[in-house]
Amino acid sequence: MNLIEVKGLCKSFGSLQVLQNVNLSVAAGERIAIIGGSGCGKSVFLRCLELLETPERGQVFIDGEEITAKGADVNQIRRKMGMVYQKFCLFSHLDVMDNLCLAPVRLLGMSRAEAEDMAMEWLSRVGLPSKAHTMPAILSGGQQQRIAICRCLMMNPKVLLFDEPTSALDPTMVGEVLAMIRMLAKRDLTMLIVTHEMNFAREVANRVLFLADGGIYEEGTPKDIFDSPRREKTAAFIHRMKYFNYAIKRRDFDLLEMQGGIHLFAEKYGLSSKLAYRLQLCCEELVYEMLAGCYGEAGALPAGATGRLPAWNAEPVDIVIDVSYSESADSTNISVSGGGKEFNPFHTTGEDEENVHLGITMLKKIAQKIEYRYLDGKNRIEITLRSEAARAVN
């Protein structure tokens, strides 16, 4: 018997049909990632399983009991499921220990001592035993979400439902929550995870559902969905490129702003910290090479120019950086364009080799492909970095 059975589920809001005739079977121990575009019904589907949203038609069975049946003991059936929300939903007036112990004491008849022992065990597993008597408002977002997951586990659920558990977190906190879910995945817990973290879904799930057009548009193993999707909309969603763009108009541009943007881009799309660091180094090196090579020495008037030269830091430049990442190809590309005189930082011959900057040597080493061209008064550099897999081998 499957742990979850969904048959002909339909849900609409007024004239908007969100879910239409959805069918799904989930076996015990399965880890299912649910992906799709915004508004496709991912969160609504999870809420229908717990009857937090009431479907117009269809049936939902949890461990053999129909939660959608007339007269069903909905609260009793819900105890078999634990829901982790986007916004944590901890009781703000209770400390961590009270948040964890409230439900098992009141609903499961557990003694307070037993509940506290179990709570401390879970807090220790997630690295937060020192926060047992801390109020939620004092905790970081990542810590609050880990506590929220522990609170679900205190009820010994048969199924864990995660509704985009990292979407409300600062990018620096996403990793700690994903690490906890990875830990739970190793315990063979049954989990349905709505997520926009594609690399995480590939790693943790053993089945992926892509929702579109009011239902499960395509499903399969992570390899099926992420490497060789069969249907058009799935392929378009999976193969989409992700971009970071930064324009530099002055020599005294904000380097930290650029580096911070690259860091957030990498965090958002699950790129490794090593790759994020490489991207930052590459972009910084390329920008400074172009500032020096394309726009001339500081303080030098352009040929034929007269009058006072503006302060060097205020001299206008027109450098544009584009960073793109494709999950399907595990490919990261950096494109830098800028005006000024023709200048190829990678072109060295003879004695010039001795004067090559260390950064350019580093770029050549980590790049899979480097292309330079000068077209319509613009210097254009395209760099493809070695894939994560290739770097791991090397």
Side-chain angles (χ1 to χ4, degrees), residues 286-295 319 336-338 343 379 381:
L286 287 170
V287 167
Y288 283 118
E289 283 289 332
M290 293 190 74
L291 285 174
C294 299
Y295 296 96
I319 297 175
V336 182
S337 65
F343 171 71
N379 294 277
I381 298 172

Side-chain angles (χ1 to χ4, degrees), residues 42-174:
K42 304 184 296 295
S43 296
V44 172
F45 176 69
L46 283 196
R47 292 175 64 82
C48 283
L49 296 184
E50 280 209 316
L51 233 59
L52 298 174
E53 298 287 353
T54 304
E56 283 82 43
R57 295 190 303 279
Q59 297 172 288
V60 177
F61 296 85
I62 306 297
D63 197 26
E65 295 185 83
E66 185 185 350
I67 194 171
T68 49
K70 186 176 181 179
D73 189 341
V74 174
N75 288 331
Q76 185 64 38
I77 298 173
R78 278 178 180 159
R79 293 179 190 176
K80 299 180 180 183
M81 295 178 281
M83 181 77 136
V84 179
Y85 302 91
Q86 299 178 21
K87 296 293 182 68
F88 326 136
C89 296
L90 297 175
F91 295 114
S92 60
H93 65 292
L94 301 177
D95 69 12
V96 167
M97 183 60 72
D98 287 339
N99 263 280
L100 296 182
C101 294
L102 182 64
V105 169
R106 289 196 178 183
L107 301 178
L108 300 182
M110 192 181 295
S111 72
R112 176 70 186 204
E114 290 175 320
E116 288 191 1
D117 286 343
M118 180 183 289
M120 286 306 299
E121 182 180 345
W122 277 115
L123 289 174
S124 296
R125 288 179 181 177
V126 302
L128 296 173
S130 64
K131 306 297 183 182
H133 298 290
T134 302
M135 300 303 288
I138 306 299
L139 301 172
S140 70
Q143 290 171 336
Q144 289 189 61
Q145 192 63 293
R146 282 187 277 167
I147 298 298
I149 297 172
C150 286
R151 185 175 60 178
C152 288
L153 294 167
M154 290 289 292
M155 294 294 288
N156 293 315
K158 293 193 173 184
V159 181
L160 282 175
L161 308 176
F162 293 90
D163 185 11
E164 296 198 50
T166 62
S167 65
L169 298 177
D170 183 281
T172 59
M173 301 175 188
V174 170

Side-chain angles (χ1 to χ4, degrees), residues 128-302:
L128 296 173
S130 64
K131 306 297 183 182
H133 298 290
T134 302
M135 300 303 288
I138 306 299
L139 301 172
S140 70
Q143 290 171 336
Q144 289 189 61
Q145 192 63 293
R146 282 187 277 167
I147 298 298
I149 297 172
C150 286
R151 185 175 60 178
C152 288
L153 294 167
M154 290 289 292
M155 294 294 288
N156 293 315
K158 293 193 173 184
V159 181
L160 282 175
L161 308 176
F162 293 90
D163 185 11
E164 296 198 50
T166 62
S167 65
L169 298 177
D170 183 281
T172 59
M173 301 175 188
V174 170
E176 62 192 70
V177 174
L178 297 184
M180 181 174 180
I181 300 175
R182 289 186 183 96
M183 178 191 76
L184 296 176
K186 294 178 181 179
R187 299 171 63 89
D188 290 329
L189 291 174
T190 305
M191 298 190 290
L192 277 71
I193 308 168
V194 170
T195 183
H196 59 271
E197 306 282 351
M198 298 297 107
N199 286 345
F200 170 73
R202 178 193 288 269
E203 177 185 350
V204 169
N206 47 33
R207 183 154 48 125
V208 178
L209 310 181
F210 174 66
L211 268 58
D213 296 344
I216 301 172
Y217 183 83
E218 186 171 351
E219 64 179 293
T221 66
K223 183 174 178 60
D224 292 335
I225 297 299
F226 293 115
D227 294 341
S228 53
R230 300 185 304 276
R231 304 190 65 186
E232 180 181 359
K233 290 184 179 180
T234 315
F237 181 83
I238 297 300
H239 292 169
R240 75 191 188 285
M241 298 292 289
K242 292 126 183 192
Y243 294 97
F244 167 77
N245 173 270
Y246 192 81
I248 297 172
K249 299 298 184 182
R250 295 160 56 105
R251 286 183 182 270
D252 60 343
F253 74 102
D254 191 337
L255 174 63
L256 292 181
E257 181 183 59
M258 183 187 78
Q259 301 294 47
I262 294 171
H263 176 78
L264 289 177
F265 166 80
E267 289 279 359
K268 181 178 180 181
Y269 294 115
L271 308 187
S272 70
S273 57
K274 283 187 177 181
L275 179 53
Y277 181 61
R278 287 173 185 264
L279 287 172
Q280 290 175 323
L281 286 179
C282 289
C283 290
E284 179 179 350
E285 184 64 32
L286 287 170
V287 167
Y288 283 118
E289 283 289 332
M290 293 190 74
L291 285 174
C294 299
Y295 296 96
E297 293 297 328
L301 280 169

